[in-house]
Amino acid sequence: MKQKYWYDYLWIASVAYLLLGFFNILFAWLGLLCFFIPLLLAIFGKDKLYCNRYCGRGQLFSLLGGRFGLSRKRDVPYFLKTKAFRYGFLIFFFIMFFQMLWNTYLVFSGAQDLRQVVTLLWTFRLPWQWAYQVETVPLWVSQFAFGFYSVMLTSTVLGILTMVLFKPRSWCVYCPMGTMTQLICQVKHQEK
Amino acid sequence: MGKKRAVVDQRLCVACGCCVKVCPLQTIVVQQGLFAVVGDKCVGCGKCVKECPASVIQLEVSEP
């Protein structure tokens, strides 16, 4: 049995994040950590340390699919690991992300009302008004939280889906953050 | 029988590091965040082959 370190328990943070967003949507802002930490680590010479060590979501999939046996453990289809699909998915993710930022801006500017919904898989609007109690923060802050939580929940659901169908951490194959950090590493280590 | 050894298809490796976590000899590393590299100590146990989410690691037998 290998020695366990504190960072082997970051899957708890991943579960906690999803639960907290169920009770108060403002916790969704914490998800920005999962965006900035991997990028900063990659930019400042730590390469893919986030994926390799700290990614709580990866650990969660590994636990559910591995120890809990919720995965068929089959090979992912070939197209999923091609550059075309991975970059395509990254671009798609970016477009959806900017659309979410645009919605936040519309609420900020007053052109649109706050929508207390979590959009799953970019399509299904789930009612989520119970997680919205605070009216002390500006509306756009809450709108961003709803939008960001939608991104996180959607990617978790996709990850669970491919976890069940294929290997536990299939999400890692097409994870937009992973693709992005690998791209950063490619650029950084180009001149050799 | 030749020696077994894990071989990574580095073109398709996503550098997630799942193989690093399961390697009992800690002889596989992710190099520069680009791809996994198998070290000399590899005995071909196949744990990384099973774990790899992209299924880009295979066991190869070298001729003696």
Side-chain angles (χ1 to χ4, degrees), chain B:
Chain B
M1 264 292 276
K3 267 179 80 177
K4 272 194 205 165
R5 185 180 158 75
V7 177
V8 181
D9 183 348
Q10 296 180 337
R11 290 169 308 126
L12 291 173
C13 177
V14 297
C16 61
C18 297
C19 50
V20 179
K21 285 192 179 173
V22 293
C23 180
L25 295 171
Q26 293 168 23
T27 188
I28 190 163
V29 289
V30 175
Q31 201 170 72
Q32 298 181 324
L34 301 174
F35 40 69
V37 177
V38 183
D40 293 334
K41 286 193 281 177
C42 179
V43 291
C45 71
K47 283 197 174 168
C48 55
V49 178
K50 272 193 184 160
E51 192 73 11
C52 179
S55 305
V56 296
I57 312 181
Q58 279 177 340
L59 287 188
E60 281 183 12
V61 182
S62 58
E63 293 307 317

Side-chain angles (χ1 to χ4, degrees), chain A residues 125-152:
Chain A
R125 297 214 170 122
L126 313 177
W128 213 269
Q129 65 279 6
W130 59 78
Y132 179 74
Q133 307 98 345
V134 243
E135 273 135 36
T136 49
V137 295
L139 288 178
W140 68 269
V141 172
S142 293
Q143 182 62 60
F144 179 83
F146 278 111
F148 202 81
Y149 192 77
S150 303
V151 171
M152 296 299 271

Side-chain angles (χ1 to χ4, degrees), chain A residues 38-188:
Chain A
L39 293 177
L40 291 174
L41 284 174
I43 292 166
F44 293 105
K46 296 288 181 204
D47 296 332
K48 279 182 63 107
L49 191 65
Y50 188 84
C51 299
N52 300 166
R53 185 177 284 181
Y54 301 116
C55 181
R57 174 174 302 184
Q59 291 170 12
L60 182 64
F61 291 151
S62 175
L63 194 71
L64 294 177
R67 192 171 302 175
F68 291 174
L70 297 176
S71 169
R72 295 196 313 157
K73 297 188 181 162
R74 304 287 168 86
D75 293 348
V76 291
Y78 184 83
F79 79 88
L80 217 64
K81 45 189 164 178
T82 55
K83 294 243 179 331
F85 182 82
R86 290 178 66 205
Y87 294 158
F89 190 68
L90 174 64
I91 291 166
F92 173 73
F93 219 80
F94 258 118
I95 293 171
M96 289 305 169
F97 195 81
F98 281 111
Q99 195 196 22
M100 184 269 284
L101 289 180
W102 176 244
N103 279 329
T104 306
Y105 171 74
L106 288 180
V107 171
F108 170 78
S109 68
Q112 196 176 284
D113 293 329
L114 171 69
R115 279 190 281 190
Q116 298 167 29
V117 289
V118 164
T119 315
L120 188 64
L121 298 167
W122 310 282
T123 316
F124 307 106
R125 297 214 170 122
L126 313 177
W128 213 269
Q129 65 279 6
W130 59 78
Y132 179 74
Q133 307 98 345
V134 243
E135 273 135 36
T136 49
V137 295
L139 288 178
W140 68 269
V141 172
S142 293
Q143 182 62 60
F144 179 83
F146 278 111
F148 202 81
Y149 192 77
S150 303
V151 171
M152 296 299 271
L153 192 67
T154 296
S155 50
T156 308
V157 167
L158 277 180
I160 288 177
L161 202 72
T162 51
M163 173 196 82
V164 172
L165 291 175
F166 312 113
K167 296 273 184 93
R169 280 181 69 157
S170 308
W171 168 251
C172 301
V173 178
Y174 60 99
C175 168
M177 290 313 298
T179 307
M180 233 188 309
T181 48
Q182 202 175 15
L183 276 173
I184 292 171
C185 292
Q186 270 166 20
V187 172
K188 285 195 70 169

